[in-house]
């Protein structure tokens, strides 16, 4: 327990450690933990097979990505997934699916890392709260330049939520990566809810017309809302997001376990 609290303190500071410790103290005071554990252990075994990333990927043959050239024979593609203590909105199944589809995964911290890894083949940037650390993102100029160069080289990038904002030209007057010809600012309202979305443009993630369920949670606004080739359409709203030959960026967050073909297509 001490080791866990020390890790939280080192990553998030004293406030983060307190935020985790206090609910634990309340649980220990008001809950019979021993009886809860005993009750959990009394549950019967599951009657279904557990979910498997390998089986999920096998069920969806890789479709390729708009004529993408394969990586060198005998080498697994190297894909960076953005992470770190300030970019934590994501699902562990994403990495599991990418690995099962044949990729090796590394983590890139948009705040602390100065460059993208050598020999990188793809970049995935998930959600977070960009308004909470906009200055940190902007100050890391070396990584912003590295991401922009990676995009110019035609390497696959997909971003959602905070990742979309990070790829913009600027956010709240602060320079960002400049991959997208768009700017972002903090809005007055929080957008929250699920969307039954249809892919408006064939991309490195899905073919045109594919349908998924995604989630939106953001307070920022990106202008323009969509590029020349939008990522998504859904009932009751205008098209949203940006699709390029090797780029997919939007606010919509997806759980790839619900559509394993996304991982297979990105790796392909």
């Amino acid at each position: 327990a001490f080791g866990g609290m020390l890790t939280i303190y080192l990553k998030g500071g004293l406030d983060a450690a307190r935020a985790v410790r206090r609910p634990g103290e309340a649980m220990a005071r008001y809950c019979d933990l021993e009886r809860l554990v005993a009750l959990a252990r009394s549950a019967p075994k599951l009657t279904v097979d557990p979910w498997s990333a390998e089986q999920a990927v096998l069920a969806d043959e890789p479709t390729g990505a708009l004529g993408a050239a394969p990586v060198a024979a005998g080498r697994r593609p190297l894909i960076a997934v953005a992470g770190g203590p300030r970019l934590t909105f994501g699902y562990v199944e994403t990495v599991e699916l990418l690995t099962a589809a044949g990729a090796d995964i590394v983590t890139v911290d948009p705040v602390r890392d100065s460059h993208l890894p050598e020999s990188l083949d793809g970049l995935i940037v998930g959600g977070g709260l960009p308004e909470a650390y906009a200055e940190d993102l902007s100050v890391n100029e070396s990584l912003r330049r590295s991401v922009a160069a990676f995009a110019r080289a035609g390497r696959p990038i997909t971003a959602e939520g905070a990742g979309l904002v990070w790829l913009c030209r600027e956010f709240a007057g602060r320079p960002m990566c400049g991959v997208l010809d768009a700017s972002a600012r903090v809005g007055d309202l929080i957008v929250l809810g699920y969307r039954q979305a249809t892919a408006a443009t064939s991309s490195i993630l899905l073919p045109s017309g594919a349908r998924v369920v995604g989630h939106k949670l953001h307070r920022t606004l990106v202008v323009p809302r969509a590029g020349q080739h939008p990522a998504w359409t859904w009932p009751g709203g205008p098209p949203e997001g940006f699709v390029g030959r090797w780029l997919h960026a939007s606010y919509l967050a997806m759980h790839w376990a619900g559509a394993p073909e996304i991982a297979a297509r990105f790796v392909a």
Side-chain angles (χ1 to χ4, degrees):
F2 174 77
M5 290 300 297
L6 179 60
T7 300
I8 293 169
Y9 172 76
L10 291 175
K11 289 185 176 182
L14 183 58
D15 288 341
R18 287 171 176 168
V20 173
R21 187 190 71 240
R22 288 171 179 169
E25 292 173 347
M27 286 287 293
R29 184 180 303 116
Y30 298 111
C31 297
D32 189 337
L33 297 180
E34 291 185 0
R35 292 197 63 183
L36 284 175
V37 171
L39 181 62
R41 289 175 175 170
S42 70
K45 292 184 178 180
L46 296 175
T47 58
V48 296
D49 294 331
W51 181 84
S52 165
E54 289 76 15
Q55 293 179 2
V57 168
L58 286 175
D60 293 281
E61 290 294 329
T63 57
L66 307 180
V71 296
R75 183 174 74 83
R76 293 167 62 92
L78 181 64
I79 296 175
V81 177
R86 301 188 187 183
L87 199 76
T88 57
F89 291 10
Y91 303 98
V92 66
E93 289 86 358
T94 298
V95 172
E96 293 177 354
L97 286 165
L98 290 168
T99 302
D104 289 330
I105 307 300
V106 294
T107 300
V108 170
D109 187 335
V111 172
R112 297 179 179 176
D113 290 334
S114 60
H115 295 85
L116 294 176
E118 295 291 333
S119 302
L120 191 66
D121 297 298
L123 174 63
I124 297 174
V125 189
L129 298 172
E131 57 268 27
Y133 54 99
E135 186 66 30
D136 295 327
L137 290 173
S138 183
V139 166
N140 194 351
E141 182 179 358
S142 58
L143 183 60
R144 291 193 287 106
R145 290 178 180 272
S146 182
V147 171
F150 190 76
R152 289 195 300 270
R155 309 313 299 168
I157 301 176
T158 181
E160 60 186 31
L164 167 66
V165 174
W166 191 46
L167 294 186
C168 286
R169 185 177 60 254
E170 63 174 3
F171 172 43
R174 298 178 176 89
M176 292 289 130
C177 293
V179 174
L180 299 173
D181 187 15
S183 61
R185 63 179 176 84
V186 178
D188 298 325
L189 300 175
I190 295 177
V191 178
L192 172 65
Y194 288 95
R195 301 289 187 274
Q196 293 183 336
T198 300
T201 308
S202 291
S203 70
I204 54 176
L205 297 188
L206 291 165
S208 176
R211 296 182 178 181
V212 299
V213 176
H215 183 260
K216 294 187 68 179
L217 172 58
H218 61 91
R219 188 182 172 187
T220 58
L221 295 175
V222 169
V223 180
R225 178 187 176 97
Q228 183 178 0
H229 302 287
W232 306 109
T233 61
W234 49 69
E240 179 178 300
F242 302 78
V243 170
R245 183 168 177 81
W246 308 114
L247 172 72
H248 189 285
S250 78
Y251 274 122
L252 193 71
M254 294 179 290
H255 196 322
W256 288 17
E261 64 270 23
I262 295 175
R265 187 176 175 92
F266 190 84
V267 172

